[in-house]
Amino acid sequence: MNFQLFPLSRTSLAALCLTALCSASYAQNDLKLTPRGYFRSAGVDVMAFDDIYPEGHQSGVSVLMNGHRVATNGDIRLEATPGQWQAVPKQLSRTLTENCISTTLCYPDTSRHMTGFNPMVYPDLHFSYTVNVRSIGRQIEVTVDLDKPLPKEYVGIVGFNMELFPGDLFGKPWIMDNQSGIFPQQPNSPVVEGHSIMEKAWNYQNANKPQASVSRLEGVEYSPISADKITALPYASGYCFTSRPDDPYSRLTVESKSTEIALIDGRMNHNNGWFVLRSLIPEGATKEAVKWIISPNIVDDWHYAPVVQTSQVGYHPAQNKVAVVETEAGSAAAPAKLLRITPAGEQVVMYISPKPWGDFLRYTYYHVDFSEVNTPGLYQIQYADSRSEVFRIGEDIYDRGVWQPVIEYFLPVQMCHMRVADKYHVWHGA
């Protein structure tokens, strides 16, 4: 066998070096498990069962991209589009290895059945499962292992969900396999009628806790606790879904290696519903009953823009006046200045050296102290290229619009025991 060697030109050598440098940079921004217990790369964070508040769309597998939480509540649920009154699993354990977060959970959580501020209804369904979240380069692999197959009567009911925040998606595009669409501002029909978990409710009586009344919870009209009986027909179903293909800072792809993914509008049956991606658990499945590959687009040179926060009320001339600056972790302090807003425009009042406060999660914080300024007027803090909202300094800052709206507006609206009318608008009946 004969080999022939060809000399590399300077252009070819430069191209090879550039390719090697790009490859090294690309690998450097792989998703890695941090000491704080979540995956991170550039502006992308992926959390797994690190904060448990599923009723508030904050739990399970969550994806944060460039300062925005774009997907959350990645977990097994008993409804296609659950609200805050639907059953949630009980977390048993959470362990971290070199590049994997494994969390074991179970149904039911009998301590929450028909009791508490948000009474939940659990059916006679007992199983545990483990969600494994591991990084593979710039992707996240999510697998779900069940301890035993689902009972046949729950096949087609139990699935793995992930939720997308609607407010950032109105009028934005999505792609599912060879289908595409635009996220609508309002939910719309057609709908599909199924069975509510309420119909399968089981009695997990706890003598030490008062039990809610099923008849009162369901009521005679719409009830969010049984709202899963009617859900929106999926916008699309397939195996590879991409949200925001038009925006490199928000583009997120979810690919299923097991069962189909359905895109469902959770606002059809819940006021606080989100868009939901859902894969049903197949009959007889245990090991890797669900396998998703989540690919958040990582922008290598993205940096978090500083956020300058001042008092929303303003400042009394005699009080201490400190602004808080939130920056990317490890950022060095930048120059700050206090601007006064006048009819002729803005004027620089003083330059300020920010003082380090410390680190919290993925941020480094600084304080900007301008307590010596006591002249009434409108002001703004500039830190590097970021600015605060305009705020006031004045002796009358507490006279209007501070505590007064709580009594005049907020508390009356909360009076659910009576009819509340606000000019042409009725907030609610008795």
Side-chain angles (χ1 to χ4, degrees), residues 5-296:
L5 301 179
F6 296 92
L8 285 174
S9 66
R10 291 185 178 180
T11 305
S12 300
L13 185 60
L16 282 174
C17 292
L18 182 60
T19 302
L21 286 172
C22 291
S23 299
S25 174
Y26 192 88
Q28 186 179 6
N29 277 341
D30 286 351
L31 285 158
K32 295 182 177 66
L33 190 58
T34 70
R36 295 186 182 274
Y38 57 87
F39 299 98
R40 184 179 183 187
S41 173
V44 174
D45 297 320
V46 179
M47 306 172 72
F49 301 92
D50 197 31
D51 47 357
I52 310 301
Y53 184 31
E55 304 97 306
H57 304 275
Q58 184 175 312
S59 186
V61 182
S62 299
V63 181
L64 294 85
M65 299 179 64
N66 308 309
H68 296 279
R69 183 162 56 114
V70 299
T72 187
N73 269 7
D75 199 359
I76 284 187
R77 300 301 296 269
L78 308 185
E79 295 84 10
T81 56
Q84 71 182 82
W85 285 273
Q86 272 63 44
V88 297
K90 179 180 181 179
Q91 184 167 318
L92 303 177
S93 66
R94 180 178 183 268
T95 59
L96 281 66
T97 57
E98 183 179 353
N99 72 325
C100 182
I101 303 173
S102 295
T103 309
T104 300
L105 308 98
C106 73
Y107 279 95
D109 184 352
T110 57
S111 66
R112 306 187 68 170
H113 179 76
M114 296 299 292
T115 188
F117 179 75
N118 275 352
M120 298 176 180
V121 178
Y122 287 84
D124 185 22
L125 175 62
H126 298 255
F127 73 100
S128 62
Y129 60 97
T130 300
V131 181
N132 301 298
V133 182
R134 58 175 53 87
S135 62
I136 304 175
R138 292 188 164 208
Q139 297 178 318
I140 293 292
E141 179 189 78
V142 179
T143 57
V144 181
D145 299 333
L146 276 62
D147 66 331
K148 60 184 178 182
L150 290 174
K152 287 190 176 181
E153 62 267 30
Y154 286 96
V155 174
I157 294 177
V158 180
F160 187 85
N161 291 12
M162 178 168 273
E163 302 177 354
L164 309 174
F165 176 57
D168 288 342
L169 297 174
F170 296 151
K172 308 302 182 183
W174 55 263
I175 298 172
M176 177 81 81
D177 293 351
N178 60 352
Q179 308 158 81
S180 62
I182 303 295
F183 288 104
Q185 190 158 353
Q186 292 179 315
N188 49 73
S189 58
V191 297
V192 57
E193 185 171 0
H195 299 281
S196 171
I197 288 295
M198 286 288 290
E199 298 170 0
K200 298 178 177 291
W202 195 249
N203 183 21
Y204 299 101
Q205 184 67 39
N206 187 336
N208 298 322
K209 292 185 177 181
Q211 298 291 297
S213 166
V214 174
S215 60
R216 293 191 67 180
L217 287 174
E218 288 193 292
V220 295
E221 299 177 353
Y222 168 84
S223 170
I225 203 165
S226 58
D228 55 310
K229 192 167 186 177
I230 295 179
T231 57
L233 199 68
Y235 290 126
S237 295
Y239 289 92
C240 188
F241 170 83
T242 299
S243 173
R244 294 304 309 275
D246 62 314
D247 180 11
Y249 294 94
S250 303
R251 185 164 65 245
L252 177 73
T253 297
V254 179
E255 183 181 2
S256 174
K257 298 295 186 178
S258 52
T259 59
E260 278 192 327
I261 302 173
L263 172 62
I264 311 170
D265 197 334
R267 301 171 300 157
M268 181 58 74
N269 50 348
H270 291 287
N271 288 346
N272 61 349
W274 289 19
F275 295 113
V276 178
L277 298 176
R278 178 172 172 84
S279 282
L280 293 171
I281 305 296
E283 182 176 1
T286 53
K287 185 71 172 177
E288 295 191 356
V290 172
K291 184 176 181 179
W292 282 8
I293 304 297
I294 300 175
S295 304

Side-chain angles (χ1 to χ4, degrees), residues 392-409:
R392 293 177 61 228
I393 295 177
E395 294 184 356
D396 61 342
I397 59 169
Y398 297 106
D399 290 355
R400 297 186 66 174
V402 182
W403 54 267
Q404 295 87 347
V406 176
I407 297 175
E408 298 171 357
Y409 192 83

